Amino acid sequence: VYYYYFFCFCLFCYGYRYDRVLLLSKMDCLKSTPDRFLRYGTGGFRGDATVVEPAFARCGALACLRSKVLGGSVVGVMVTASHNPERDNGLKITEQDGRMLTQSWEALAEECVNAEDGAESLNGILQSFPESQCNRAVVVVGRDTRESSQKLSELVLAGASAFGADAYDVGEVTTPELHWIVRSRNSSSALAPYRDAMASALSSGIQGLSVDCANGIGALALKDIVSRAGISGISIFNDRKDKGLNLNCGADYVQKEHTVPVGHIPADRSASLDGDADRMVYYRFREDQFELVDGDKILAFVMRHLNG
């Protein structure tokens, strides 16, 4: 009996964190490492879904640690590869205020994801993470409409839960919606639900606008927003996921090819979203000339408006 209590005391002294890493290392979803080194870029981890799959459970654990360092604030993980082809997938981690993962943690994310199998390897890396006195962690996980996204989001949830987080699945949402959810749950002032807020911001007098939704999650969100706003002047196309996500359509395609997407509905002006609806371009024809209004021009219009 005394030996048993002494052994338990030694385990406690060795650290709660190693115990969690040991648990993680035994999970099937963490036993494999990527075939190539994965880098965390501006769009998070991204690539062929089968190649990046080993990153997802570990990123769930990483999001849990980030939440603890932030004092138990809600941290988000969005499963998406944005404007990439449908065979790809990836994830982005969202800070408590809705911003992307702070740059100082990007290198930590790469170390964690690319670590060799086994508790010793993971523990050595996780011991270098900033310490936290908070044991509470909350992680919310959203996903786009890719076929692989549900399975991969389940891996994120499993990794976060195994490391001690309260992990919540918010289902199929756009990337801006996931950011909004995270900021809302951490805000001292109540924010309206994302789609209600977007609907109230739209003018009921909108006419002559067609929107290419890249056959992605943006179609579901936009249809709901337009319905809530009671607007009839917006035509939505490329709104079926069985037609190929980002295939000859979407914001990235229009910008790079400088042409309208497949299935374009002629209108006074048009817009294209990308696969997770966090990127948009406007365009129109004037005297048979294609005119593109990209992000830089949109930002210039916004600044001009704000400056009066």
Side-chain angles (χ1 to χ4, degrees), residues 186-253:
N186 289 315
S187 177
S188 57
S189 57
L191 296 176
Y194 177 81
R195 296 184 186 184
D196 286 341
M198 295 300 103
S200 65
L202 289 177
S203 169
S204 59
I206 292 179
Q207 295 291 330
L209 174 64
S210 65
V211 182
D212 158 30
C213 291
N215 295 316
I217 183 62
L220 301 179
L222 184 58
K223 286 180 179 179
D224 188 18
I225 291 168
V226 166
S227 175
R228 295 181 191 213
I231 296 174
S232 59
I234 298 179
S235 301
I236 298 172
F237 65 103
N238 290 333
D239 57 346
R240 294 175 55 183
K241 63 180 182 181
D242 63 335
K243 292 295 184 180
L245 181 66
N246 298 314
L247 182 61
N248 298 326
C249 59
D252 193 58
Y253 172 83

Side-chain angles (χ1 to χ4, degrees), residues 19-79:
D19 180 56
R20 287 294 184 183
V21 174
L22 187 61
L23 174 62
L24 280 172
S25 70
K26 292 180 179 179
M27 293 173 60
D28 289 339
C29 54
L30 280 112
K31 287 184 178 179
S32 60
T33 52
D35 293 332
R36 59 179 175 81
F37 190 88
L38 298 180
R39 296 197 177 278
Y40 196 100
T42 54
F45 292 114
R46 190 178 297 179
D48 186 288
T50 58
V51 174
V52 299
E53 183 175 324
F56 285 77
R58 294 187 182 192
C59 280
L62 180 77
C64 173
L65 286 177
R66 184 61 182 157
S67 176
K68 289 182 179 182
V69 168
L70 294 172
S73 294
V74 178
V75 167
V77 180
M78 181 66 190
V79 176

Side-chain angles (χ1 to χ4, degrees), residues 167-179:
Y168 300 96
D169 180 8
V170 295
E172 292 182 342
V173 293
T174 67
T175 292
E177 198 166 2
L178 189 278
H179 285 248

Side-chain angles (χ1 to χ4, degrees), residues 14-299:
Y14 190 64
Y16 169 83
R17 183 176 289 185
Y18 182 77
D19 180 56
R20 287 294 184 183
V21 174
L22 187 61
L23 174 62
L24 280 172
S25 70
K26 292 180 179 179
M27 293 173 60
D28 289 339
C29 54
L30 280 112
K31 287 184 178 179
S32 60
T33 52
D35 293 332
R36 59 179 175 81
F37 190 88
L38 298 180
R39 296 197 177 278
Y40 196 100
T42 54
F45 292 114
R46 190 178 297 179
D48 186 288
T50 58
V51 174
V52 299
E53 183 175 324
F56 285 77
R58 294 187 182 192
C59 280
L62 180 77
C64 173
L65 286 177
R66 184 61 182 157
S67 176
K68 289 182 179 182
V69 168
L70 294 172
S73 294
V74 178
V75 167
V77 180
M78 181 66 190
V79 176
T80 181
S82 191
H83 55 272
N84 280 36
E86 190 165 6
R87 66 178 179 276
D88 290 352
N89 218 322
L91 62 79
K92 316 171 190 178
I93 299 176
T94 305
E95 292 280 286
Q96 83 281 13
D97 57 0
R99 294 179 300 165
M100 299 306 297
L101 180 66
T102 187
Q103 193 169 7
S104 61
W105 273 64
E106 291 180 4
L108 295 176
E110 291 179 356
E111 289 186 61
C112 179
V113 163
N114 293 289
E116 295 179 3
D117 301 341
E120 292 292 345
S121 177
L122 273 176
N123 186 60
I125 291 171
L126 293 176
Q127 289 292 349
S128 67
F129 280 34
E131 289 290 343
S132 170
Q133 301 303 314
C134 180
N135 286 325
R136 179 177 180 270
V138 183
V139 177
V140 295
V141 182
R143 64 181 185 275
D144 68 10
T145 54
R146 295 167 195 269
E147 185 176 349
S148 60
S149 289
Q150 181 167 346
K151 175 187 177 182
L152 297 178
S153 66
E154 289 171 356
L155 292 176
V156 177
L157 291 163
S161 298
F163 221 73
D166 294 327
Y168 300 96
D169 180 8
V170 295
E172 292 182 342
V173 293
T174 67
T175 292
E177 198 166 2
L178 189 278
H179 285 248
W180 183 281
I181 290 169
V182 170
R183 183 169 182 176
S184 177
R185 294 195 181 187
N186 289 315
S187 177
S188 57
S189 57
L191 296 176
Y194 177 81
R195 296 184 186 184
D196 286 341
M198 295 300 103
S200 65
L202 289 177
S203 169
S204 59
I206 292 179
Q207 295 291 330
L209 174 64
S210 65
V211 182
D212 158 30
C213 291
N215 295 316
I217 183 62
L220 301 179
L222 184 58
K223 286 180 179 179
D224 188 18
I225 291 168
V226 166
S227 175
R228 295 181 191 213
I231 296 174
S232 59
I234 298 179
S235 301
I236 298 172
F237 65 103
N238 290 333
D239 57 346
R240 294 175 55 183
K241 63 180 182 181
D242 63 335
K243 292 295 184 180
L245 181 66
N246 298 314
L247 182 61
N248 298 326
C249 59
D252 193 58
Y253 172 83
V254 171
Q255 184 173 27
K256 288 182 177 178
E257 300 299 326
H258 214 71
T259 189
V260 298
V262 63
H264 177 247
I265 297 177
D268 294 339
R269 60 197 185 282
S270 301
S272 285
L273 306 175
D274 70 343
D276 62 336
D278 68 347
R279 181 179 303 194
M280 181 181 71
V281 294
Y282 275 104
Y283 46 95
R284 66 178 180 180
F285 280 95
R286 174 178 286 183
E287 297 178 355
D288 295 328
Q289 294 295 315
F290 181 80
E291 292 186 347
L292 178 70
V293 181
D294 60 13
D296 292 339
K297 292 179 180 178
I298 293 173
L299 181 59

